[in-house]
């Protein structure tokens, strides 16, 4: 299971980045393995994911389940890191942009976007604004606890597994918060596109002089804020005309498509991590399995589904 090993390696890479900042070592991986418990710590992190992968493979083959498309994608590690804060900062930019769109729609009163609608989106965005940093901080604290094992304690499976699970849980929550933020931005951009088409374009076609100068100025300020998100929007120069409005709407709809695709990828990444969590074996489960001999019926069932070499691999600790 390529994805599971990618997830394990990405967690290790995040730990190495954390350790590199603390120790200022040029080669954090080598330095960690030279600590009293470094090799054992990294090995047991990999074992947590490998055991989860074994359990998932078994479930897939027995139940004929399909694996996620993202699981075999080279894009996967980009969604599994807490060291690269680019995604976090982009989420904050998205959140700030959504607030501005929400305010604009509220003051223009377009499509009955009143107190209730503004309160709905404001509350969602407020919760994610609090949640995003909180989940990253919790994940950072777990990484620090793992690094404490380098010199003290025993980083065996029983000690490492709960921390790895906790780290993945915080990462899932962060991804879900990020997905919610992008979904809000996409929905609000949809409303903004409708405003451009139903209000601005309609007024240009019927009576250009009826356009409220204050609304036009607010719209231009809002479009500047959206440009800072990296969206290429044509500027309104000279007289406003229908062609420019259409070009602006096309640019915004392009951004909506990008956001929806990103939401899909984030959702897949969160589901993949949830799969890992559900298939992780706790120390108690491992001990119980070791205490129970495999009966002939179960052994025959396994061998019917898998090769003998896979069965041997599956039974290895």
């Amino acid at each position: 299971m390529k994805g599971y090993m990618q997830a394990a390696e990405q967690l290790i890479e995040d730990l190495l980045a954390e350790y590199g900042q603390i120790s200022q070592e040029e080669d954090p991986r080598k330095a960690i393995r030279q600590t009293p418990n470094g090799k054992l710590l990294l090995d047991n992190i990999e074992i947590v994911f490998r055991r989860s992968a074994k359990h998932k493979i078994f479930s897939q083959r027995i139940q004929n389940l399909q694996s996620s498309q993202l699981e075999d994608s080279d894009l996967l590690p980009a969604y599994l890191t807490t060291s690269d804060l680019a995604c976090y900062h982009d989420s904050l930019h998205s959140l700030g942009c959504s607030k501005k769109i929400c305010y604009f729609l509220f003051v223009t009163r377009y499509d009955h976007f009143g107190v209730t609608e503004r309160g709905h989106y404001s509350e969602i965005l407020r919760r994610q604004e609090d949640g995003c940093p909180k989940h990253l901080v919790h994940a950072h604290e777990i990484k620090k606890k793992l690094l404490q094992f380098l010199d003290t304690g025993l980083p065996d499976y029983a000690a490492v597994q709960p921390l790895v699970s906790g780290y993945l849980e915080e990462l899932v929550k962060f991804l879900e918060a990020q997905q919610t933020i992008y979904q809000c931005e996409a929905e609000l951009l949809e409303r903004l596109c409708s405003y451009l088409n139903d209000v601005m374009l309609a007024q240009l076609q019927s009576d250009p002089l009826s356009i409220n100068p204050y609304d036009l100025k607010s719209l231009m300020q809002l479009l500047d804020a959206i440009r800072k998100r990296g969206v290429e929007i044509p500027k309104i120069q000279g007289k406003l005309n229908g062609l420019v409005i259409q070009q602006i709407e096309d640019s915004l709809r392009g951004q909506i498509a990008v956001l929806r695709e990103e939401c899909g990828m984030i959702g897949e990444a969160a589901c993949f991590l949830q799969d890992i969590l559900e298939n992780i074996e706790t120390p108690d489960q491992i001990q119980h399995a070791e205490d129970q001999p495999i009966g002939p019926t179960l052994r025959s069932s396994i061998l019917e589904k898998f090769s003998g070499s896979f069965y041997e691999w599956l039974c290895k600790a």
Side-chain angles (χ1 to χ4, degrees), residues 32-45 150 155:
I32 276 184
R33 287 189 171 275
Q34 289 175 342
T35 62
N37 297 325
K39 185 178 184 304
L40 184 60
L41 173 63
L42 298 186
D43 287 350
N44 271 304
I45 289 174
L150 295 178

Side-chain angles (χ1 to χ4, degrees), residues 5-263:
M5 293 305 99
Q6 284 180 320
E9 183 57 29
Q10 189 56 59
L11 171 52
I12 290 173
E13 287 293 334
D14 282 0
L15 280 177
L16 294 176
E18 187 85 16
Y19 185 70
Q21 290 181 350
I22 296 170
S23 65
Q24 300 298 310
E25 291 283 354
E26 291 185 7
D27 189 345
R29 187 181 294 267
K30 180 179 178 182
I32 276 184
R33 287 189 171 275
Q34 289 175 342
T35 62
N37 297 325
K39 185 178 184 304
L40 184 60
L41 173 63
L42 298 186
D43 287 350
N44 271 304
I45 289 174
E46 289 185 354
I47 289 171
V48 172
F49 287 88
R50 191 168 72 234
R51 283 188 173 276
S52 179
K54 287 181 181 181
H55 192 273
K56 179 62 182 291
I57 290 172
F58 183 83
S59 298
Q60 281 182 331
R61 294 291 296 273
I62 293 296
Q63 300 177 43
N64 293 318
L65 300 175
Q66 297 295 320
S67 59
S68 166
Q69 291 183 352
L70 188 64
E71 200 169 314
D72 293 322
S73 170
D74 291 333
L75 292 173
L76 182 61
Y79 295 94
L80 306 184
T81 179
T82 55
S83 291
D84 181 2
L85 294 179
C87 58
Y88 169 64
H89 291 308
D90 190 69
S91 298
L92 294 185
H93 292 156
S94 172
L95 198 147
C97 192
S98 293
K99 286 182 177 180
K100 288 182 172 67
I101 300 171
C102 194
Y103 178 75
F104 175 82
L105 294 170
F106 174 71
V107 296
T108 58
R109 290 295 193 275
Y110 169 66
D111 195 25
H112 308 293
F113 195 94
V115 174
T116 301
E117 290 75 15
R118 185 186 183 189
H120 168 72
Y121 281 105
S122 296
E123 177 60 22
I124 292 174
L125 294 170
R126 184 195 64 76
R127 288 200 303 268
Q128 308 318 317
E129 190 173 24
D130 293 340
C132 266
K134 180 180 71 176
H135 300 315
L136 283 181
V137 167
H138 289 169
H140 177 71
E141 290 172 347
I142 292 172
K143 286 190 289 187
K144 288 199 295 185
K145 289 179 180 179
L146 285 167
L147 289 175
Q148 288 174 357
F149 279 123
L150 295 178
D151 298 306
T152 60
L154 177 63
D156 58 7
Y157 189 92
V160 169
Q161 179 269 316
L163 291 174
V164 171
S165 294
Y167 177 85
L168 293 178
E169 286 170 1
E170 294 301 330
L171 188 50
V172 168
K173 291 175 184 176
F174 170 73
L175 288 172
E176 290 174 344
Q178 188 183 21
Q179 184 185 36
T180 300
I181 290 171
Y182 288 157
Q183 284 174 339
C184 278
E185 185 182 10
E187 289 175 14
L188 290 167
L189 283 173
E190 284 277 9
R191 285 178 176 262
L192 180 59
C193 284
S194 297
Y195 169 84
L196 291 172
N197 192 61
D198 297 345
V199 177
M200 282 293 179
L201 193 57
Q203 288 179 340
L204 278 171
Q205 291 171 345
S206 60
D207 181 12
L209 296 177
S210 67
I211 293 177
N212 186 320
Y214 176 80
D215 288 349
L216 180 57
K217 182 180 178 180
S218 297
L219 174 63
M220 293 176 70
Q221 291 173 340
L222 175 59
L223 294 177
D224 281 339
I226 297 174
R227 284 188 193 96
K228 291 178 181 178
R229 284 276 288 129
V231 185
E232 294 184 3
I233 302 175
K235 290 192 175 183
I236 301 173
Q237 297 176 338
K239 274 192 172 184
L240 186 65
N241 58 69
L243 178 60
V244 174
I245 292 294
Q246 188 59 57
Q247 290 173 340
I248 292 171
E249 184 182 344
D250 290 343
S251 297
L252 295 180
R253 291 202 178 278
Q255 174 67 358
I256 291 169
V258 169
L259 288 169
R260 298 222 183 270
E261 183 178 1
E262 187 66 10
C263 283

